[in-house]
C-alpha cells in the first residue's frame, strides 16, 4: 500500500495541472471549470463571470495601463487598484508643497480629480478563438522565421476585420506556445483621473522590508475614475467629458472572509512559465537571478542612503527604489523556493517520463534532446545580456551615454536636431539637483561596472585603462571628465549640433565606454545566436507542450499568463513557512500598532490612524470580534499584473484587492506549491475604513454598492 501511495504522489507531481488551486483560467472557457469551482464553494455560474450577451463581472474588471488590474466600484466610473500601481501618477503629481505621496490625496469633488496623461483603462468587450484563421497557410515543416511572418500577417487581417466600423481595438494572443490563438476586442479609455490615495505610511506601510512578506499590514490601494465623451465612448481628456457608466460595477461585501472560504481573483496576470524545461528553470533561477540580485543590491544601497537625507531626495528616488526592489526581492524568494522544492529535479523527472512516452512517437522523441542543445547555445548570451542590463544600464550616467550614442548615429540633420533639442530639455531637469544626484549616480556607475569587470564580463576595461590607473580610478575619471557631467560643455555642443559633429561626440569618454560595452555584448554573432535559438525554443516548446497535452489527455491544462483576463480560484488559508511556525490567514490593525517604529520611515503610523485605533472607532468595518481587518491570504494562483485585481467571494462580491504574493511562494511563475503559494490581499473593509473614517471621503463611499 505504501508503494502505491508513493507512485500516486509521484504521478500527481509530474502532471502539469495536478496541484490544488493552481491555474489561471480563460473566462470564455470557464464552463469547463464550473463544476469544480462550485464544488469548491462558488455559488454563482460561469456565465455570471463571463457572458458575451449580458453584462457580467468581466465588464467590471479593467486593465490598468499595461501592467495592473482595476475594478469598477460605482456606476460613475470610479475604480480601485493598488497604491503601487498608481504610484507613478501619485508621485508625478506631487511636489514638496503638495506632497500627495506622503500626505495622501482625496478629491472633494469631480473638479479636483487630477488628469493622468498617458494613463489608460482597458475593458474587454469580447474574446474568441481564432486559431484556424491565424494558422492559415502554416505548415509543420515551415521554417520558424517564415511561420512567424505568416502568423503576423494573418493576425493583422483578423484584428482589422474584428474592429472594422467600431471604435474598439483588437489584439491576438498566442496560448500554449502558439498551439492556440485568441482574439481580444477591447475598449480603451484615455481620460483617467486620480481620485484618491492614502498617505504612503498607509499605502506602502512596511515598505521594501515587508514587500512580498506575510504577515502584511499594507493599505495598498488607490482610486481613479474613467471619463468618456458625451456619447459614452472613449475620448482624450476634455473638461466636457463625463464619468463613464460601466455595464457592471462590483457589489462590495462587508461580511469578510474566514479560513476555508472560497475566493477567486479576476484580473490580468502578466507572465508565467509553467511548462518550461529544466534548462530554462536553471538558467533563470540559478544563473541570472543571483546576478540581478547582486547588482541591484548596489543600486538599492546608494538610493536608500540618499533618501534618508532630505524629503526631496526621498521623493526623487521613491518610485525608482520601489521598482528596483520589487524584482530584487521576488527573485530571491523564487530561487530559494525552487531550491527548497528541488524544482530542477522535478522538471528532469517530468522530462524523463515524457521521453519514455515519446519513445515510439517520432514527432516528439527528439524534442527534449534538441532543447538541451539549444539552451546550451543560448544560455551564455542570455547571461551576458543580464550583466549588460543590470550593470551597464544601472546608472543614469550610462543611460544618458546611450542617448549620446543614438544622437551620434543619426545622419539626417532634422532628426539629429530634434534629438539634440530633447537632450537639452532633459538637461534642464537632470541638472536641477545634479550636485546631490551625482554622488549617488557616480557611486552606482563605478560599483556596478567594477562588479561586472571582476566577474569577467567587461574585458574591454583593461585595455582602456592602459596600466595607468586601476579600474576604479579609470571609471571615476570617465564620470568626472564626460560632458554628461558638465552641463555648459554639453549644451554648447548640442545647441549647434549637426551630424558633422558626431566625431566630437565620439571623443567623450562616457560614449567610448558605452560603445565598448555594447559592442562587446551585442555582437552580430551573439545577436544571431540569440535570435536563432529563441526561434528554435519557440518551435520546440510548441511541440513539447502539444505532446504533454496528448500525454495527459484527461487533464485540463491552463495556459501561461500573457496579460489577458483570467480567473484563478482557491480558498482563504494560512500556511507553515518554517518548522513550528503557522501563519494565520488574516491581519488586523493591532499588527500595525505592534510594528510601529517612529524612527523607521516604513513603520511610521499616521496620527489620525492611531487616534481611531485608540478610540476603536472602526464603524461598520470591524469584524465580529471587534477588530479592524487589514489583509488576508488565499491559495489563488496570481502573478505580476494581478496587482489591483478584485478578490471576490462565492457570490461574486468584492471582499479584497490582490496586491502581492508570499515570499516563500514566489517561484509560482515556474513551479506551484499549494503548501506555500499564497496571494496577499487587502481586506476591502480596511480600504473602506481608510476612505470613510480616516479620510472622511464619505462622498466616495456613497457612490458604492455596499452589502452589510
Amino acid at each position: 500500500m505504501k508503494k502505491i501511495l508513493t507512485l500516486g504522489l509521484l504521478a500527481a507531481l509530474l502532471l502539469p495541472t495536478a496541484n490544488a488551486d493552481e491555474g489561471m483560467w480563460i473566462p470564455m472557457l470557464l464552463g469547463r471549470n464550473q463544476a469544480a469551482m462550485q464544488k469548491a464553494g462558488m455559488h454563482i455560474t460561469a456565465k455570471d463571470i463571463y457572458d458575451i450577451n449580458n453584462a457580467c463581472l468581466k465588464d467590471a474588471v479593467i486593465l490598468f495601463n499595461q501592467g495592473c488590474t482595476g475594478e469598477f466600484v460605482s456606476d460613475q466610473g470610479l475604480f480601485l487598484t493598488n497604491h503601487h500601481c498608481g504610484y507613478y501618477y501619485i508621485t508625478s503629481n506631487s511636489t514638496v508643497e503638495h506632497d500627495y505621496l506622503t500626505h495622501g490625496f482625496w478629491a472633494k469633488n469631480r473638479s479636483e480629480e487630477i488628469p493622468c496623461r498617458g494613463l489608460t483603462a482597458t475593458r474587454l468587450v469580447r474574446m474568441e478563438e481564432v486559431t484556424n484563421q491565424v494558422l492559415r497557410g502554416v505548415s509543420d515543416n515551415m521554417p520558424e522565421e517564415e511561420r512567424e511572418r505568416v502568423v503576423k500577417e494573418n493576425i493583422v487581417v483578423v484584428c482589422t476585420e474584428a474592429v472594422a466600423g467600431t471604435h474598439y481595438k483588437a489584439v491576438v494572443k498566442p496560448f500554449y506556445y502558439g498551439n492556440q490563438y485568441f482574439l481580444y476586442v477591447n475598449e480603451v479609455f484615455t481620460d483617467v483621473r486620480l481620485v484618491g490615495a492614502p498617505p504612503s505610511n498607509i499605502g506602502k506601510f512596511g515598505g521594501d522590508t515587508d514587500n512580498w512578506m506575510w504577515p502584511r499590514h499594507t493599505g495598498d490601494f488607490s482610486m481613479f475614475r474613467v471619463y468618456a465623451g458625451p456619447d459614452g465612448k472613449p475620448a482624450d481628456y476634455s473638461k466636457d467629458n463625463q464619468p463613464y457608466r460601466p455595464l457592471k460595477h462590483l457589489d462590495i461585501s462587508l461580511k469578510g472572509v474566514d479560513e476555508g472560504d472560497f475566493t477567486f481573483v479576476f484580473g490580468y496576470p502578466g507572465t508565467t512559465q509553467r511548462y518550461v524545461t529544466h534548462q530554462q528553470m536553471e538558467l533563470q533561477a540559478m544563473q541570472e537571478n543571483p546576478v540581478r540580485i547582486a547588482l541591484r543590491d548596489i543600486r538599492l544601497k546608494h538610493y536608500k542612503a540618499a533618501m534618508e537625507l532630505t524629503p526631496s531626495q526621498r521623493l526623487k528616488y521613491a518610485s525608482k527604489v520601489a521598482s528596483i526592489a520589487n524584482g530584487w526581492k521576488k527573485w530571491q524568494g523564487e530561487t530559494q523556493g525552487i531550491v527548497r522544492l528541488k524544482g530542477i529535479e522535478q522538471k528532469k523527472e517530468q522530462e524523463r517520463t515524457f521521453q519514455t512516452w515519446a519513445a515510439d512517437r517520432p514527432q516528439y522523441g527528439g524534442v527534449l534532446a534538441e532543447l538541451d542543445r539549444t539552451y546550451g547555445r543560448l544560455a551564455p548570451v542570455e547571461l551576458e545580456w543580464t550583466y549588460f542590463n543590470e550593470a551597464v544600464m544601472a546608472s543614469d550616467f550610462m543611460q544618458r551615454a546611450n542617448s549620446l550614442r543614438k544622437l551620434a548615429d543619426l545622419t539626417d540633420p532634422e532628426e539629429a536636431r530634434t534629438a539634440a533639442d530633447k537632450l537639452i530639455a532633459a538637461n534642464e531637469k537632470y541638472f536641477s539637483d545634479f550636485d546631490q544626484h551625482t554622488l549617488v549616480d557616480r557611486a552606482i556607475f563605478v560599483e556596478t561596472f567594477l562588479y561586472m569587470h571582476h566577474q569577467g564580463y567587461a574585458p574591454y576595461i583593461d585595455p582602456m585603462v592602459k596600466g595607468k590607473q586601476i579600474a576604479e580610478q579609470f571609471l571615476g575619471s570617465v564620470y568626472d571628465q564626460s560632458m554628461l557631467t558638465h552641463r555648459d560643455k554639453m549644451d554648447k555642443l548640442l545647441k549647434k549640433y549637426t551630424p558633422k559633429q558626431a566625431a566630437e561626440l565620439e571623443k567623450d569618454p562616457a560614449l567610448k565606454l558605452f560603445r565598448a560595452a555594447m559592442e562587446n555584448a551585442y555582437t552580430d554573432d551573439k545577436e544571431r545566436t540569440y535570435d536563432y535559438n529563441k526561434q528554435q525554443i519557440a518551435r520546440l516548446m510548441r511541440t513539447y507542450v502539444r505532446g504533454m497535452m496528448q500525454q495527459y489527455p484527461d487533464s485540463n491544462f491552463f495556459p501561461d499568463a500573457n496579460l489577458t483576463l483570467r480567473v484563478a480560484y482557491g480558498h482563504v488559508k494560512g500556511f507553515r513557512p518554517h518548522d513550528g511556525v503557522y501563519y494565520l490567514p488574516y491581519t488586523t490593525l493591532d499588527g500595525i500598532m505592534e510594528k510601529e517604529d517612529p524612527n523607521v520611515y516604513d513603520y511610521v503610523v499616521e496620527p489620525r490612524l492611531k487616534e481611531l485605533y485608540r478610540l476603536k472607532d472602526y464603524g461598520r468595518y470591524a469584524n465580529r470580534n471587534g477588530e479592524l481587518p487589514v489583509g488576508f491570504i488565499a491559495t489563488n494562483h496570481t502573478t505580476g499584473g494581478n496587482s489591483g485585481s478584485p478578490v471576490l467571494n462565492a457570490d461574486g462580491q468584492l471582499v479584497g484587492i490582490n496586491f502581492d504574493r508570499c515570499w516563500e511562494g514566489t517561484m509560482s511563475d515556474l513551479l506551484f506549491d499549494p503548501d506555500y503559494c499564497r496571494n496577499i490581499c487587502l481586506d476591502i473593509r480596511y480600504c473602506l475604513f481608510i476612505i470613510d473614517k480616516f479620510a472622511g471621503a464619505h462622498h466616495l463611499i456613497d457612490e458604492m454598492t455596499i452589502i452589510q
Side-chain angles (χ1 to χ4, degrees):
M1 186 60 156
K2 184 176 180 181
K3 183 177 181 180
I4 294 173
L5 286 172
T6 302
L7 291 174
L9 288 171
L10 179 60
L13 176 72
L14 300 181
L15 269 170
T17 59
N19 286 321
D21 298 329
E22 181 183 11
M24 299 174 178
W25 305 99
I26 300 173
M28 189 183 86
L29 305 178
L30 206 59
R32 300 175 184 176
N33 300 75
Q34 179 173 296
M37 294 176 74
Q38 290 178 336
K39 183 178 180 181
M42 185 176 75
H43 299 157
I44 59 176
T45 68
K47 279 200 169 185
D48 291 321
I49 298 172
Y50 181 92
D51 189 338
I52 189 61
N53 298 312
N54 299 286
C56 56
L57 291 176
K58 70 97 174 162
D59 295 308
V61 181
I62 54 176
L63 175 64
F64 181 84
N65 233 13
Q66 293 301 314
C68 283
T69 303
E71 53 275 354
F72 288 117
V73 290
S74 88
D75 62 1
Q76 295 294 310
L78 185 69
F79 71 89
L80 292 166
T81 188
N82 286 155
H83 184 269
H84 75 260
C85 293
Y87 203 76
Y88 171 80
Y89 298 97
I90 299 168
T91 56
S92 63
N93 285 295
S94 293
T95 64
V96 174
E97 293 78 20
H98 300 285
D99 187 352
Y100 303 137
L101 180 65
T102 300
H103 304 299
F105 169 77
W106 307 97
K108 296 182 179 63
N109 51 58
R110 304 281 166 81
S111 66
E112 291 188 358
E113 295 175 357
I114 301 174
C116 299
R117 303 301 171 93
L119 176 57
T120 59
T122 301
R123 179 185 74 89
L124 174 65
V125 177
R126 65 180 177 87
M127 62 178 294
E128 66 175 284
E129 185 181 356
V130 290
T131 305
N132 291 337
Q133 298 95 306
V134 170
L135 296 183
R136 185 178 293 121
V138 171
S139 62
D140 288 340
N141 58 358
M142 180 180 285
E144 192 65 18
E145 190 172 352
E146 177 69 7
R147 183 187 190 277
E148 287 182 6
R149 183 188 64 78
V150 173
V151 165
K152 286 179 181 178
E153 290 175 355
N154 289 342
I155 285 174
V156 170
V157 173
V158 170
C159 290
T160 301
E161 292 178 350
V163 298
T166 75
H167 66 278
Y168 298 140
K169 297 183 179 181
V171 63
V172 169
K173 292 288 187 81
F175 289 75
Y176 308 108
Y177 289 86
N179 283 298
Q180 197 171 15
Y181 291 84
F182 281 87
L183 166 74
Y184 291 80
V185 176
N186 297 312
E187 190 171 35
V188 182
F189 294 88
T190 55
D191 185 355
V192 183
R193 307 181 193 181
L194 176 64
V195 175
S200 60
N201 284 330
I202 291 175
K204 205 174 184 302
F205 183 81
D208 295 327
T209 304
D210 280 8
N211 192 22
W212 299 104
M213 305 302 287
W214 184 259
R216 198 67 168 275
H217 300 86
T218 311
D220 197 347
F221 78 93
S222 55
M223 308 182 74
F224 294 80
R225 193 185 305 277
V226 172
Y227 281 76
D231 58 359
K233 296 178 180 178
D236 290 338
Y237 170 79
S238 169
K239 291 182 179 179
D240 296 328
N241 286 348
Q242 298 296 315
Y244 168 66
R245 300 186 70 87
L247 296 174
K248 176 78 174 177
H249 70 275
L250 298 179
D251 293 341
I252 301 173
S253 171
L254 295 184
K255 183 180 178 182
V257 291
D258 294 315
E259 185 154 19
D261 281 357
F262 175 87
T263 61
F264 68 100
V265 172
F266 203 4
Y268 286 84
T271 304
T272 58
Q273 298 172 288
R274 180 64 177 87
Y275 305 107
V276 295
T277 57
H278 79 275
Q279 295 96 337
Q280 176 63 38
M281 183 178 284
E282 186 169 23
L283 172 62
Q284 185 169 321
M286 311 311 295
Q287 297 182 52
E288 292 181 315
N289 281 0
V291 173
R292 295 184 182 114
I293 292 162
L295 285 163
R296 292 195 177 199
D297 274 337
I298 295 170
R299 281 197 278 172
L300 289 170
K301 173 182 66 176
H302 292 291
Y303 284 140
K304 287 182 176 181
M307 289 175 71
E308 296 292 326
L309 298 178
T310 65
S312 63
Q313 289 285 89
R314 185 181 63 78
L315 274 176
K316 178 180 177 65
Y317 294 122
S319 183
K320 189 186 290 280
V321 165
S323 176
I324 294 168
N326 195 53
W328 167 80
K329 196 165 188 177
K330 185 254 188 182
W331 294 322
Q332 294 177 63
E334 179 178 82
T335 295
Q336 289 193 23
I338 287 171
V339 170
R340 183 184 68 244
L341 294 171
K342 296 181 171 58
I344 294 169
E345 290 81 357
Q346 283 192 39
K347 286 289 183 181
K348 287 181 178 179
E349 185 60 37
Q350 180 179 307
E351 291 157 25
R352 282 191 286 270
T353 303
F354 178 86
Q355 193 62 46
T356 300
W357 172 85
D360 57 352
R361 296 170 173 84
Q363 68 270 41
Y364 300 119
V367 67
L368 289 173
E370 195 173 347
L371 270 167
D372 191 55
R373 292 190 294 271
T374 305
Y375 270 107
R377 296 188 295 266
L378 177 69
V381 179
E382 283 264 31
L383 190 58
E384 184 158 9
W385 288 2
T386 298
Y387 272 100
F388 184 90
N389 292 329
E390 295 291 340
V392 176
M393 300 303 291
S395 64
D396 290 347
F397 182 63
M398 280 289 98
Q399 291 180 30
R400 284 162 56 78
N402 189 29
S403 297
L404 284 188
R405 177 193 65 83
K406 292 177 181 178
L407 176 61
D409 288 344
L410 294 173
T411 56
D412 181 85
E414 290 188 10
E415 291 180 357
R417 184 67 262 150
T418 299
D421 288 341
K422 286 182 179 179
L423 283 173
I424 292 170
N427 281 349
E428 183 69 32
K429 181 178 181 181
Y430 183 78
F431 283 98
S432 62
D433 66 345
F434 180 71
D435 289 340
Q436 288 181 317
H437 181 58
T438 186
L439 297 174
V440 179
D441 197 55
R442 187 182 192 275
I444 289 172
F445 162 69
V446 172
E447 276 197 58
T448 52
F449 256 93
L450 278 178
Y451 183 92
M452 180 173 59
H453 178 53
H454 291 156
Q455 299 300 316
Y457 284 88
Y460 45 85
I461 286 183
D462 287 334
M464 297 177 78
V465 174
K466 299 177 182 177
K468 297 178 181 179
Q469 305 164 302
I470 62 172
E472 184 174 0
Q473 292 172 333
F474 163 73
L475 291 167
S477 68
V478 168
Y479 196 95
D480 297 336
Q481 294 170 16
S482 170
M483 73 171 70
L484 292 170
T485 56
H486 296 83
R487 182 179 181 181
D488 292 344
K489 183 178 179 181
M490 188 175 179
D491 281 354
K492 182 179 179 181
L493 175 60
L494 292 175
K495 286 175 182 178
K496 63 177 183 178
Y497 185 80
T498 68
K500 294 179 180 179
Q501 292 161 296
E504 191 171 346
L505 278 183
E506 296 289 356
K507 295 176 184 178
D508 189 88
L511 182 51
K512 286 182 179 180
L513 179 62
F514 187 86
R515 281 209 186 276
M518 191 169 183
E519 289 168 4
N520 177 72
Y522 290 91
T523 65
D524 289 344
D525 183 55
K526 289 173 184 175
E527 291 192 359
R528 280 193 297 269
T529 297
Y530 179 84
D531 291 341
Y532 173 76
N533 287 290
K534 289 294 282 189
Q535 286 181 347
Q536 295 311 303
I537 288 171
R539 174 181 63 83
L540 294 164
M541 286 301 299
R542 187 166 59 249
T543 303
Y544 178 48
V545 170
R546 184 167 63 243
M548 281 197 293
M549 295 172 84
Q550 292 179 21
Q551 182 186 6
Y552 300 107
D554 296 328
S555 291
N556 188 11
F557 281 70
F558 70 91
D560 273 323
N562 58 1
L563 205 63
T564 57
L565 192 60
R566 304 289 184 89
V567 172
Y569 60 92
H571 298 86
V572 177
K573 190 176 182 181
F575 73 110
R576 301 183 185 280
H578 313 289
D579 181 46
V581 176
Y582 180 75
Y583 282 157
L584 294 173
Y586 70 93
T587 57
T588 69
L589 183 57
D590 291 11
I592 292 178
M593 299 308 159
E594 291 170 0
K595 286 183 175 179
E596 180 186 14
D597 187 341
N599 298 312
V600 177
Y601 182 80
D602 287 341
Y603 295 107
V604 173
V605 178
E606 290 287 315
R608 171 66 177 158
L609 188 58
K610 288 197 285 187
E611 178 65 9
L612 290 167
Y613 174 75
R614 186 184 67 82
L615 297 172
K616 298 295 185 286
D617 187 5
Y618 304 151
R620 55 178 172 165
Y621 308 114
N623 64 20
R624 67 175 67 91
N625 299 320
E627 305 162 314
L628 180 64
V630 172
F632 64 90
I633 53 175
T635 60
N636 303 296
H637 190 185
T638 62
T639 188
N642 275 126
S643 292
S645 296
V647 184
L648 304 155
N649 64 13
D651 297 310
Q653 299 163 339
L654 185 65
V655 291
I657 306 173
N658 184 81
F659 71 92
D660 208 349
R661 282 176 285 167
C662 292
W663 189 68
E664 295 84 357
T666 52
M667 71 287 173
S668 60
D669 290 347
L670 294 159
L671 186 67
F672 191 90
D673 178 10
D675 291 333
Y676 288 90
C677 293
R678 297 290 183 273
N679 65 305
I680 303 177
C681 318
L682 170 67
D683 194 301
I684 199 63
R685 292 170 291 183
Y686 185 57
C687 172
L688 298 178
F689 165 82
I690 294 298
I691 297 168
D692 189 355
K693 305 292 289 185
F694 176 86
H698 312 293
H699 59 292
L700 298 176
I701 298 292
D702 292 341
E703 282 191 46
M704 304 177 194
T705 303
I706 298 175
I707 300 171
Q708 190 68 39

